[in-house]
Every structure is written in C-alpha cells, then in structure tokens.
Amino acid sequence: MTVRAAVILMLAMQVAVAAGVLTMLAGNAWAVAVLAAGGSFAGTVAFARSVIG
C-alpha cells in the first residue's frame, strides 16, 4: 500500500466514524448510522483521490 492510499483511507475512516457517531447522537438507529458512515466513507475517498496528488 502506498503512502497516498494509506492517507486517503485513514482520512476517509476518520470522517466515516465521525459521521456515524454524530448520526447516533442525533437519535437515529444503528442502521441509519452505518449507512451514513458508509456514504461518507465513499464520498471522502472519491474527493480525496481527486485532491491528493
């Protein structure tokens, strides 16, 4: 795994965890939090791949 890939995956994981936790704290079910985290993970990977070098 390259450093670029590791940075992108680490950033995406952090954003996904934050989105999942915030979704849970908002009072939603676990399933909704997991779906929000998955969507934010995919979006962050797509965005970071285009921005990071």
Side-chain angles (χ1 to χ4, degrees):
M1 177 181 292
T2 65
V3 174
R4 177 180 179 263
V7 169
I8 290 172
L9 291 176
M10 181 180 61
L11 177 65
M13 184 59 70
Q14 290 173 348
V15 170
V17 167
V21 168
L22 289 174
T23 303
M24 280 298 300
L25 291 176
N28 292 306
W30 277 102
V32 175
V34 169
L35 288 173
S40 65
F41 182 86
T44 303
V45 167
F47 175 74
R49 283 186 63 210
S50 67
V51 172
I52 297 175

